[in-house]
Amino acid sequence: QVQLVESGGGLVQAGGSLRLSCAASGRTFSSYAMGWFRQAPGKDREFVAAIRWNGRTTRYGDSVKGRFTISGDNAKNTVSLQMSSLKPEDTAVYYCAAVTRSIVLVTSSSNYDRWGQGTQVTVSS
C-alpha cells in the first residue's frame, strides 16, 4: 500500500545541510499537492513544507521557513526537501505525502492519502 519512498536521511552536524528525496513506487497516481511532515518521539506530526502543482505555490512551517526549500516534478510524482542550517530540534522522522484530490489546507496531515514509510534525520550538537 506504500506508494511513496523517501531517501536521503541520515546523521548531520548542527549547521549542516541535507537533501531528502521522495518518489512514487508501485501504482501510478496523479497528485494535487505533495508535502513533507515530520514527527519526533512523543510529539504530534508537524507540517514542514508543501507544494501545490497548480501554480506551483509553496508553503512552509514557521519553524523551517527560510531554512528549508521544497521542489518537485508533478509529472513524475517526485518531491525534494533541501534542508540547511539544521538544528538539533529538526531531529525527527520525515514523511513524504501526496494528495490525489483538491484540498484547501495543505498543512493538515489528515488531508493526504498517500504516504511514505519515513526517513530518519538526526542532527547532532
Side-chain angles (χ1 to χ4, degrees):
Q1 290 81 2
V2 177
Q3 295 180 270
L4 298 171
V5 179
E6 303 96 337
S7 63
L11 176 65
V12 64
Q13 294 180 325
S17 299
L18 201 63
R19 185 179 181 87
L20 305 182
S21 297
C22 172
S25 179
R27 292 183 296 175
T28 60
F29 60 89
S30 297
S31 64
Y32 171 79
M34 295 184 71
W36 290 93
F37 294 79
R38 67 186 184 186
Q39 188 166 27
K43 295 185 177 181
D44 293 332
R45 187 164 296 187
E46 177 187 17
F47 170 74
V48 177
I51 181 169
R52 281 193 179 92
W53 301 126
N54 181 21
R56 299 188 66 84
T57 57
T58 57
R59 181 80 175 272
Y60 297 92
D62 290 339
S63 63
V64 306
K65 195 172 300 181
R67 299 188 297 121
F68 292 9
T69 302
I70 188 171
S71 62
D73 185 342
N74 62 311
K76 298 180 179 179
N77 280 326
T78 59
V79 68
S80 297
L81 184 69
Q82 179 65 49
M83 305 181 291
S84 62
S85 301
L86 284 164
K87 308 173 182 178
E89 64 187 271
D90 294 319
T91 296
V93 176
Y94 283 70
Y95 297 91
C96 175
V99 55
T100 59
R101 66 188 188 280
S102 63
I103 59 172
V104 175
L105 299 177
V106 296
T107 60
S108 177
S109 62
S110 63
N111 284 333
Y112 292 77
D113 51 23
R114 299 289 187 275
W115 291 86
Q117 302 248 190
T119 185
Q120 177 70 47
V121 172
T122 302
V123 183
S124 62
S125 301

